C-alpha cells in the first residue's frame, strides 16, 4: 500500500493564438489535417491563457479531467488521440526525492488526473481550444518525459484541435499543412520569436459574450463541402499570402502585415457567407468596427491598426505601436460608449511597456 501513495505532478501555462492567415477547412477530419497553411501570433502568456496540471499516481483508477473545476468527459476521440500519442512516446522517469522510478512500459497502466483552468471568463466567448490542447500536450510530455521537440508535440496537439498546434510556440508561428496521409508532416514551426516585433499592441474588443451558433468544426466541414470560394482561396490565394506574410513579419512591414491580415479575415468571412447554408460569425457591431478602422487607416495614409475576426463577432485589433493603441482605444470609447447598446469590453494584450 505504501507504494501506492506517490503522486507525480506537472504544471504548464499556454497562451492562445490569433490567426492572421486563417485555417478554415480540413482534408482529414480524424487526423485534423488542414486544406491550407496558416500563420498566427501567440499572445503574451499573462493574458488569455490556460493553466493545466497533470498528475499520475498508482492510486488513480481511471483517466479523469476537470475544466474550470467541473469534471468533463475524456471519452471524445480528440482527447483519446492526444493521450494515446503522448503515452506512446513516454520515456523513463526517475524521481530521486520520492525514490521513484517509472519505466517506459509503466505508463500504459498508470492513470492520469488533469485539471485545467482558463484565466479569462469563459462567458466572454473567447474560450478557445487552442490554448487548452497545446497546454495539455505540453504538460503531459513533461510529466512523461517524452523526448519530442516542440514541432513534434505540435503535431500531437493538432489532433486535439487544429489551431492548438500553433500555441506550442511564442511569437509568430506557421502551421505547415503537410502532404503525408498520416499527418506526420502537418506541424507548427516558429517564424519569429516573441520579442521580434515588440511594438505591436493587441486589443481584443468583446462584442458579444454569447456562445457562437455554428462550431468551427461543423462550419468548416460545410464550407469544404459547399463553397467554391474556399476552393479558389486554398489554391490561388493563401499560398501567395503565406509568402507575403512571412516577408512582412520578417521586415516589420506593418503596412503589408495589416493589408494581408484584414484581407484574409474578410475572405474567411466571405467563405462563410459562400457556404450553404451561409454562416454568419460577425454582427453589425463587428462591421462597424471594420468601417471605423478602414476609415481611420485611409485618413492616416498608412495603416495604424489591423483587424481580424475568428468564428465569432469579437474583434482582434493589432496596432502598429503604443501610440496607435491609445488612439484606437479612444476611438472605440467614442464610437462604442460604455453602457450603450453596443458597448465593448476591451482587453489590452501584448503591451510590453
Ligand atoms: C484559425 N479558426 O486559424 C481559424 C480562423 C477560426 C477561424 O482555427 O476543428 O477550433 O478543432 O480543428 O482549431 C478554429 O477552429 O477547429 C480556428 P478544429 P479550431 O484560428
Amino acid at each position: 500500500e505504501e507504494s501506492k501513495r506517490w503522486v507525480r505532478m506537472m504544471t504548464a501555462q499556454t497562451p492562445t493564438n490569433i490567426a492572421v492567415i486563417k485555417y478554415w477547412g480540413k482534408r482529414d477530419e480524424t487526423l485534423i489535417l488542414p486544406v491550407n497553411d496558416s500563420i498566427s501570433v501567440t499572445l503574451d502568456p499573462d493574458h488569455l491563457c490556460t493553466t493545466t496540471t497533470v498528475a499520475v499516481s498508482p492510486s488513480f483508477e481511471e483517466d479523469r479531467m476537470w475544466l474550470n473545476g467541473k469534471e468533463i468527459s475524456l471519452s471524445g476521440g480528440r482527447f483519446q488521440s492526444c493521450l494515446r500519442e503522448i503515452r506512446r512516446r513516454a520515456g523513463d522517469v526517475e524521481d530521486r526525492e520520492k525514490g521513484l522510478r517509472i519505466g517506459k512500459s509503466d505508463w500504459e497502466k498508470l492513470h492520469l488526473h488533469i485539471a485545467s483552468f482558463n484565466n479569462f471568463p469563459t462567458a466572454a466567448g473567447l474560450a478557445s481550444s487552442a490554448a487548452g490542447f497545446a497546454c495539455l500536450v505540453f504538460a503531459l510530455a513533461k510529466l512523461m518525459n517524452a523526448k519530442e521537440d516542440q514541432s513534434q508535440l505540435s503535431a500531437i496537439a493538432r489532433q486535439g484541435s487544429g489551431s492548438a498546434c500553433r500555441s506550442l510556440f511564442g511569437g509568430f508561428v506557421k502551421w505547415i499543412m503537410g502532404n503525408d496521409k498520416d499527418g506526420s508532416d502537418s506541424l507548427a514551426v516558429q517564424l519569429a520569436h516573441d520579442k521580434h516585433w515588440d511594438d505591436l499592441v493587441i486589443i481584443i474588443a468583446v462584442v458579444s459574450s454569447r456562445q457562437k451558433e455554428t462550431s468551427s468544426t461543423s462550419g468548416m466541414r460545410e464550407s469544404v463541402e459547399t463553397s467554391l470560394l474556399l476552393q479558389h482561396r486554398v489554391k490561388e490565394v493563401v499560398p501567395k499570402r503565406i509568402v507575403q506574410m512571412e516577408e512582412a513579419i520578417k521586415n516589420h512591414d506593418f503596412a503589408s502585415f495589416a493589408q494581408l491580415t484584414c484581407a484574409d479575415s474578410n475572405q474567411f468571412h466571405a467563405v462563410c457567407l459562400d457556404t450553404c447554408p451561409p454562416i454568419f460569425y460577425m454582427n453589425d457591431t463587428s462591421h462597424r468596427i471594420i468601417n471605423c478602422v478602414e476609415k481611420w487607416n485611409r485618413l492616416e495614409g498608412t495603416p495604424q491598426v489591423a483587424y481580424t475576426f475568428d468564428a465569432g463577432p469579437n474583434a482582434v485589433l493589432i496596432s502598429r505601436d503604443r501610440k496607435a493603441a491609445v488612439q484606437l482605444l479612444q476611438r472605440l470609447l467614442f464610437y462604442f460608449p460604455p453602457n450603450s447598446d453596443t458597448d465593448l469590453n476591451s482587453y489590452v494584450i501584448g503591451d510590453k511597456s
Side-chain angles (χ1 to χ4, degrees):
E1 275 310 297
E2 193 65 23
S3 66
K4 280 207 165 188
R5 290 249 177 100
W6 62 267
V7 180
R8 181 178 152 83
M9 290 201 277
M10 199 61 78
T11 297
Q13 202 171 68
T14 308
T16 195
N17 72 77
I18 306 290
V20 290
I21 301 292
K22 304 291 189 193
Y23 147 54
W24 196 251
K26 298 183 185 70
R27 62 182 200 275
D28 184 314
E29 294 243 349
T30 314
L31 288 169
I32 311 196
L33 302 177
V35 290
N36 60 259
D37 293 348
S38 54
I39 293 179
S40 60
V41 55
T42 299
L43 302 181
D44 284 346
D46 36 335
H47 310 276
L48 304 191
C49 73
T50 300
T51 305
T52 301
T53 298
V54 289
V56 63
S57 168
S59 64
F60 296 163
E61 285 167 5
E62 54 179 337
D63 293 339
R64 295 175 74 182
M65 176 162 180
W66 292 261
L67 179 60
N68 298 322
K70 231 182 103 196
E71 183 156 18
I72 59 164
S73 165
L74 279 174
S75 63
R78 290 167 171 222
F79 277 113
Q80 289 305 317
S81 297
C82 289
L83 293 177
R84 184 189 61 236
E85 292 302 313
I86 285 285
R87 277 200 170 99
R88 194 176 280 169
R89 291 164 176 80
D92 296 329
V93 170
E94 234 187 297
D95 192 329
R96 291 222 177 88
E97 231 169 84
K98 293 197 179 88
L100 190 68
R101 201 184 166 285
I102 311 171
K104 244 185 211 155
S105 52
D106 296 331
W107 289 108
E108 295 293 333
K109 291 164 270 169
L110 288 166
H111 291 289
L112 301 159
H113 282 187
I114 302 160
S116 198
F117 289 89
N118 294 324
N119 77 340
F120 46 95
T122 313
L126 294 165
S128 159
S129 50
F133 276 104
C135 199
L136 175 67
V137 166
F138 185 76
L140 286 175
K142 282 270 173 282
L143 180 81
M144 299 190 187
N145 193 25
K147 293 244 159 46
E148 298 282 356
D149 65 25
Q150 294 293 97
S151 280
Q152 295 305 322
L153 292 182
S154 81
I156 301 175
R158 188 203 75 227
Q159 297 176 55
S161 183
S163 51
C165 74
R166 298 186 311 236
S167 271
L168 263 297
F169 294 96
F172 289 92
V173 183
K174 173 158 83 159
W175 174 10
I176 300 167
M177 62 179 284
N179 297 307
D180 286 357
K181 269 209 148 58
D182 67 359
S184 55
D185 61 351
S186 184
L187 39 76
V189 294
Q190 190 179 48
L191 294 177
H193 59 75
D194 60 340
K195 298 285 181 293
H196 169 73
W197 202 345
D198 235 5
D199 292 347
L200 300 183
V201 180
I202 301 178
I203 291 170
I204 298 186
V206 179
V207 171
S208 161
S209 54
R210 285 224 328 256
Q211 281 273 330
K212 61 191 169 199
E213 277 164 36
T214 310
S215 79
S216 301
T217 306
S218 61
M220 63 178 86
R221 182 187 307 130
E222 285 162 18
S223 294
V224 168
E225 283 167 4
T226 62
S227 171
L228 275 177
L229 179 57
L230 180 83
Q231 304 305 323
H232 170 68
R233 166 176 168 74
V234 164
K235 278 198 215 90
E236 308 294 336
V237 181
V238 176
K240 290 189 190 102
R241 280 190 186 156
I242 290 282
V243 175
Q244 292 166 340
M245 182 60 90
E246 284 191 54
E247 201 60 22
I249 291 167
K250 197 173 87 191
N251 300 325
H252 304 99
D253 177 354
F254 189 78
S256 301
F257 175 82
Q259 188 267 321
L260 290 162
T261 298
C262 298
D264 206 68
S265 172
N266 290 334
Q267 188 175 65
F268 154 52
H269 290 278
V271 165
C272 290
L273 197 61
D274 190 48
T275 298
C276 183
I279 306 163
F280 310 100
Y281 285 127
M282 294 195 286
N283 65 18
D284 285 351
T285 306
S286 318
H287 292 146
R288 283 182 58 205
I289 293 173
I290 292 179
N291 254 327
C292 174
V293 172
E294 288 281 353
K295 278 195 188 129
W296 178 27
N297 283 344
R298 208 144 301 161
L299 203 74
E300 294 282 337
T302 175
Q304 303 298 306
V305 173
Y307 56 81
T308 186
F309 295 78
D310 284 329
N314 300 325
V316 177
L317 301 159
I318 308 176
S319 8
R320 68 181 307 143
D321 54 26
R322 200 178 149 76
K323 191 172 148 234
V326 170
Q327 288 182 3
L328 172 65
L329 280 174
Q330 285 169 346
R331 272 159 211 268
L332 289 176
L333 283 169
F334 179 78
Y335 289 110
F336 307 93
N339 303 320
S340 72
D341 286 351
T342 55
D343 68 335
L344 299 173
N345 270 308
S346 293
Y347 291 82
V348 181
I349 282 169
D351 182 358
K352 302 189 174 80
S353 43

